[in-house]
């Protein structure tokens, strides 16, 4: 007689092995829920609805076991099944959960807390910028252990041409918001003969193409001599730019390489904050 496969529950690990009493007390969870949740995770990452056999395989369980979980998830509204194709997809309750989560997120509070940890990890001056009436505006900053001679201040407006923040917002905001400030900055730069800056709108558009290609802005010595900076985008669930995460410091101590430790740390945090807001980011290009 064939014995049906049993779901893992308290007292068993994911391979069905009996857990030691101390380990069981430490976990204090219901393993069958965790096992079944693999199906939800797979569907969340999938681009389309899935057949049972494919869904079960991706979740690492046999189809019969997966089907039992899916029946319960359907009753709860977590999963729906197309009556014609038989494919499974996320249900209406998952949307309600996602919207409820997004409504409770304080993006700036989360970013401020995370930036403190980032500053300690990379020991560079870090800050947050949002779009204001006059351009990218500093709304939070933390100095490194070697403060720059010209520190950031609350309410500082970052220049559109020279700064990483200015270039980031110009790259991702609608042109109707940024064009007047960009045109004024280009005119001022031409009048002052600042040859290290873009001289025409075509030159600046090429800079913005590079920002979008790397999904980040980088400057080396354009805002202040011998000061490098990155600015990374944080997007919401609709793909709108919410804020820019900045890191800047003297070139002698600031690694401005794409893929370097500062780029990686700042980019990882920006992607995490974007994911928390419901944004699904595309693969990065950092070469």
């Amino acid at each position: 007689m064939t014995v049906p496969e049993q779901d893992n529950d308290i007292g068993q690990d994911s391979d069905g092995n009996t857990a030691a009493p101390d380990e069981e007390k430490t976990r204090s969870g219901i393993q069958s829920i965790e096992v079944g949740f693999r199906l939800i995770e797979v569907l969340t990452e999938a681009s389309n609805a899935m057949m049972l056999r494919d869904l079960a395989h991706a979740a690492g369980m046999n189809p019969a076991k997966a089907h039992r979980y899916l029946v319960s998830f359907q009753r709860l509204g977590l999963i729906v099944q197309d009556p014609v194709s038989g494919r499974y997809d996320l249900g209406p309750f998952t949307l309600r959960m996602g919207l409820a989560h997004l409504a409770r997120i304080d993006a700036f509070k989360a970013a401020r807390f995370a930036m403190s940890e980032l500053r300690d990890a990379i020991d560079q001056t870090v800050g947050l910028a949002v779009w204001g009436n006059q351009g990218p505006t500093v709304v939070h900053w933390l100095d490194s252990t070697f403060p720059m001679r010209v520190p950031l201040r609350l309410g500082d407006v970052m220049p559109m041409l020279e700064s990483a923040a200015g270039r980031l917002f110009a790259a991702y905001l609608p042109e109707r918001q940024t064009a007047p400030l960009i045109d004024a900055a280009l005119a001022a730069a031409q009048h002052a003969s600042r040859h290290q800056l873009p001289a025409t709108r075509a030159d600046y558009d090429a800079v913005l193409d590079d920002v979008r290609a790397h999904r980040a802005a980088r400057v080396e010595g354009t805002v202040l001599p011998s000061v490098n900076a990155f600015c990374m985008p944080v997007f919401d669930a609709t793909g709108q730019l919410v804020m820019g995460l900045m890191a800047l410091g003297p070139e002698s101590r600031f690694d401005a390489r794409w893929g370097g430790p500062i780029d990686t740390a700042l980019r990882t945090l920006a992607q995490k904050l974007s994911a928390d807001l419901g944004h699904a980011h595309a693969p990065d290009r950092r070469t």
Side-chain angles (χ1 to χ4, degrees):
M1 181 178 66
T2 302
V3 179
E5 180 182 348
Q6 299 296 315
D7 293 341
N8 292 323
D9 211 323
I10 293 178
Q12 292 185 325
D13 62 20
S14 59
D15 296 320
N17 300 316
T18 301
D22 289 343
E23 183 182 353
E24 181 180 338
K25 291 179 181 179
T26 300
R27 283 201 309 245
S28 299
I30 301 175
Q31 188 120 22
S32 61
I33 293 178
E34 298 173 18
V35 171
F37 193 75
R38 295 176 195 163
L39 297 163
I40 305 293
E41 290 180 309
V42 170
L43 283 173
T44 300
E45 297 298 326
S47 57
N48 295 295
M50 301 179 69
M51 296 297 293
L52 173 61
R53 64 177 181 276
D54 299 324
L55 178 55
H57 177 74
M61 64 181 74
N62 69 48
K65 180 176 181 177
H67 183 261
R68 294 200 299 274
Y69 281 109
L70 292 170
V71 169
S72 292
F73 289 155
Q74 281 182 270
R75 292 170 180 165
L76 296 171
L78 292 169
I79 296 292
V80 293
Q81 183 182 24
D82 187 285
V84 177
S85 68
R87 294 176 180 269
Y88 291 91
D89 207 347
L90 296 174
F93 191 70
T94 56
L95 176 61
R96 289 171 55 194
M97 290 174 64
L99 293 174
H101 171 67
L102 291 175
R104 296 172 186 174
I105 291 176
D106 183 337
F108 295 103
K109 180 179 180 181
R112 289 193 298 269
F113 179 80
M115 291 296 274
S116 178
E117 294 185 348
L118 176 69
R119 186 273 312 271
D120 293 343
I122 65 175
D123 196 16
Q124 302 290 340
T125 295
V126 298
L128 302 175
V130 300
W131 186 255
N133 292 335
Q134 302 301 316
T137 305
V138 177
V139 294
H140 179 70
W141 84 96
L142 293 167
D143 283 328
S144 67
T145 57
F146 48 97
M148 296 184 300
R149 57 186 177 84
V150 182
L152 292 176
R153 296 184 302 272
L154 186 66
D156 277 351
V157 177
M158 305 303 291
M160 294 300 296
L161 302 188
E162 301 97 314
S163 72
R167 295 178 180 188
L168 184 85
F169 281 89
Y172 286 108
L173 289 183
E175 187 175 355
R176 65 180 182 276
Q177 290 183 250
T178 61
L181 294 177
I182 293 171
D183 292 341
L186 285 170
Q190 291 168 355
H191 180 73
S193 299
R194 299 188 63 182
H195 302 297
Q196 77 274 29
L197 297 179
T200 66
R201 185 57 196 256
D203 293 338
Y204 192 56
D205 285 343
V207 170
L208 302 186
D209 287 341
D210 186 68
V211 171
R212 287 185 284 264
H214 288 93
R215 293 178 66 84
R218 176 182 66 180
V219 296
E220 297 176 83
T222 56
V223 178
L224 295 170
S226 302
V227 172
N228 297 337
F230 284 118
C231 192
M232 305 287 172
V234 175
F235 300 104
D236 65 16
T238 67
Q240 299 299 307
L241 181 63
V242 176
M243 70 184 92
L245 308 188
M246 301 181 295
L248 61 161
E251 63 179 7
S252 60
R253 302 191 56 159
F254 191 100
D255 185 347
R257 293 174 300 157
W258 296 120
I262 299 175
D263 168 36
T264 299
L266 194 64
R267 186 181 301 271
T268 298
L269 175 56
Q271 291 177 349
K272 179 184 182 304
L273 292 170
S274 296
D276 289 345
L277 292 174
H279 179 70
H281 67 272
D284 294 315
R285 170 190 152 191
R286 291 185 283 173
T287 58

